[in-house]
Amino acid sequence: MTLETLVNDYKAKTSRSRQMYEEALRVMPGGNSRTTTFFDPYPFFITRGAGARIWDADGAERLDFNGNYTSLILGHAHPSVVEAVAEQATRGMSFPGPSEHEVRLAGLLTTRIPSMEVVRFANSGTEATMNAVRAARAFTGRSKLAKFEGAYHGTHDWVLVSVSPDPAKSGSRKRPKPVASSGGVPDTVLKHTVVLPWNDAEACVKILEKQGRDIAALIVDPLMANAGLLEPQPGFLERLREVTERLGIVLIFDEVISFRVAPGGAQQRFGVRPDLTTLGKIIGGGLAVGAFGGRAEVMNYYDPRGGKGRISHGGTFNANPVTMAGGVATMQELTPEAYARLDALGDRLRAGVKRVLSKSKQAAQVTGLGSLFWIHWTKKRLTDYRSRVPADAERPLRTFMGLLNDGVLLTQRGLGCCSLAMTDADVDRFLEVFGRVVEKEA
Ligand SMILES: Cc1ncc(COP(=O)(O)O)c(C=O)c1O
């Protein structure tokens, strides 16, 4: 089925969203406040979410495998989160001082993540990575930041480099060139960024050894979640740990998404201990949140009681009590049994997708871990960002649109997730619809 046919079908089903979008266009550039959620011809407007389902302005119901881009691990409006948030909201939405919920959430996180000796809260994953990088710079007195080609860490300048660059303009695979991923990123950022190739330990060690004494931090998403959920090859994270320790580089694990895969995140699953960890998404019960923490001697630069090189970290809504209450309620639901259930849902989905793909003889595959999955339209062995750039760039979007028109929500690029609100029957419904979408392409 062509993209045009899919878009026409979508338009026919979303007339109220179209009206709202036209209104939005008059007051916002592109009618939009969040680039990620935009797609042509216009995104559907969402009016309600409950459990595993979401409803749009035209009244259409969809099974939600997007989960606000992996945030909603319990599904929409989980009763215990709603209760905790509502209870706090009636007592006050935000205060000019700390609350008990903040200390409780900090306690829950530091207990789950042993490398996180201490933690601070912010309002987004972006703020979390920005502050972790700043801590590393203050601690080491160095200014460069190393990151992986294809990795996404939010929208501040220091990480908007080589997020989804054109490989033809990014130098060699073994020594990728820093490329700005957005307008407005100053050249000085590129000069202070070292880009590494994922899963190539030899190349990484070589680059880091050469520039290591200038590098404050290496930021790593241990699952490369936004580059296609590309698991680290055995021993790769261990090599990064060894070389960063040897060169005095602060190793930051950005677990904004990968914290989904175990009670202690990907670092627990892979058995590698970073210096700092950044969190977001699932830890706020669906509200705006970020957190960063780790070794006390690095984090102590944030101690407001003073000291040399103190970092100021204001933020009107940092650790606001409603978010913290939602976060505590969410963490309490995430028991070991809950993770086993999430793993089972993810395994069922990935196995089913493999069956559909092999039956239809599609050049495709599925990656992922725990409740996370990504459908790739290539048979190539996926090791790094460059290997996963799809040959047919439009195929992920056609899949997204096909699913959307048939009552299932994914992300535009192929990333999806299961939530605890889902049943096996919901996963099977995904597979049935996915099968139909794939068939129409065959
Ligand atoms: C790995 C990773 N880091 C950081 C961020 C930024 O988080 P936020 O969107 O809350 O700013 C994201 C967002 O998707 C992410 O996936």
Side-chain angles (χ1 to χ4, degrees):
M1 202 175 262
T2 65
L3 187 57
E4 196 186 346
T5 315
L6 290 162
V7 166
N8 287 338
D9 187 11
Y10 173 75
K11 281 182 177 166
K13 288 180 163 125
T14 53
S15 57
R16 177 72 189 125
S17 282
R18 188 189 184 119
Q19 259 176 19
M20 291 175 88
Y21 181 64
E22 278 160 11
E23 217 176 287
L25 275 177
R26 289 197 283 275
V27 284
M28 290 183 278
N32 177 269
S33 295
R34 188 176 173 194
T35 313
T36 330
T37 59
F38 182 80
F39 58 88
D40 269 327
Y42 50 84
F44 59 94
F45 281 65
I46 298 164
T47 52
R48 191 160 79 87
R53 285 163 175 76
I54 203 163
W55 285 265
D56 75 9
D58 289 272
E61 176 184 311
R62 293 186 179 89
L63 253 179
D64 185 6
F65 286 84
N66 175 310
N68 192 16
Y69 293 82
T70 75
S71 309
L72 301 170
I73 196 162
L74 305 182
H76 293 273
H78 187 282
S80 60
V81 179
V82 171
E83 191 188 331
V85 164
E87 208 268 333
Q88 179 54 49
T90 58
R91 291 164 182 265
M93 302 292 230
S94 66
F95 302 135
S99 74
E100 207 176 310
H101 298 307
E102 174 182 358
V103 188
R104 285 190 68 204
L105 185 56
L108 287 169
L109 296 174
T110 52
T111 303
R112 278 164 180 251
I113 309 175
S115 73
M116 198 178 240
E117 295 165 11
V118 286
V119 63
R120 282 178 82 91
F121 292 102
N123 300 290
S124 64
T126 293
E127 287 180 31
T129 61
M130 183 180 77
N131 281 291
V133 169
R134 187 170 291 148
R137 285 181 163 143
F139 178 70
T140 59
R142 304 170 180 175
S143 59
K144 286 191 178 175
L145 173 67
K147 76 175 288 286
F148 284 94
E149 190 171 55
Y152 178 71
H153 302 290
T155 56
H156 61 90
D157 286 352
W158 294 110
V159 291
L160 278 176
V161 179
S162 298
V163 175
S164 48
D166 177 353
K169 296 179 184 152
S170 311
S172 78
R173 185 180 215 122
K174 284 192 171 296
R175 286 195 54 219
K177 200 174 90 175
V179 179
S181 297
S182 165
V185 173
D187 283 348
T188 182
V189 168
L190 302 182
K191 287 190 190 116
H192 286 86
T193 310
V194 176
V195 182
L196 304 174
W198 184 245
N199 270 332
D200 187 338
E202 295 314 315
C204 291
V205 169
K206 226 180 198 173
I207 297 169
L208 291 172
E209 280 179 343
K210 196 160 173 213
Q211 305 197 49
R213 301 289 164 206
D214 297 325
I215 298 174
L218 166 59
I219 187 164
V220 183
D221 171 351
L223 272 186
M224 282 291 267
N226 293 283
L229 287 168
L230 309 175
E231 271 189 54
Q233 285 171 0
F236 181 65
L237 294 177
E238 289 83 346
R239 284 295 294 282
L240 297 180
R241 177 65 281 185
E242 181 280 319
V243 69
T244 49
E245 193 162 352
R246 179 158 50 82
L247 298 170
I249 298 168
V250 174
L251 181 63
I252 304 169
F253 274 7
D254 177 0
E255 297 232 35
V256 166
I257 287 185
S258 66
F259 190 47
R260 254 184 180 262
V261 302
Q267 56 193 272
Q268 179 186 6
R269 198 116 176 187
F270 296 124
V272 175
R273 187 183 172 107
D275 299 303
L276 297 180
T277 298
T278 56
L279 302 171
K281 298 202 192 269
I282 69 166
I283 66 158
L287 289 117
V289 77
F292 59 104
R295 273 168 62 196
E297 61 176 328
V298 183
M299 287 298 292
N300 281 347
Y301 277 77
Y302 282 91
D303 185 335
R305 291 169 300 185
K308 240 183 173 180
R310 186 161 74 86
I311 305 174
S312 165
H313 174 223
T316 305
F317 296 109
N318 287 357
N320 92 77
V322 180
T323 306
M324 297 293 105
V328 169
T330 303
M331 286 302 128
Q332 284 170 341
E333 292 293 329
L334 292 173
T335 58
E337 296 73 37
Y339 281 94
R341 173 92 195 111
L342 286 164
D343 284 2
L345 287 166
D347 288 344
R348 185 181 186 91
L349 188 139
R350 284 184 295 271
V353 167
K354 277 182 200 159
R355 268 197 312 276
V356 169
L357 295 174
S358 82
K359 192 169 148 224
S360 66
K361 298 193 172 54
Q362 298 279 310
Q365 60 190 299
V366 59
T367 57
L369 195 65
S371 56
L372 297 162
F373 65 94
W374 190 305
I375 298 162
H376 295 270
W377 299 101
T378 175
K379 268 277 191 215
K380 268 199 299 192
R381 189 166 162 259
L382 300 176
T383 52
D384 61 0
Y385 165 71
R386 294 194 192 193
S387 60
R388 77 111 196 136
V389 178
D392 174 1
E394 201 188 84
R395 183 77 193 257
L397 197 58
R398 289 204 302 278
T399 307
F400 166 75
M401 274 286 178
L403 291 169
L404 197 60
N405 290 338
D406 209 343
V408 171
L409 179 62
L410 197 65
T411 67
Q412 299 92 312
R413 292 177 305 153
L415 169 68
C417 60
C418 299
S419 77
L420 278 171
M422 287 173 184
T423 61
D424 286 357
D426 292 328
V427 170
D428 294 346
R429 165 107 180 108
F430 175 92
L431 296 171
E432 179 197 322
V433 175
F434 179 66
R436 268 203 295 278
V437 169
V438 168
E439 229 169 76
K440 285 181 193 157
E441 282 268 351

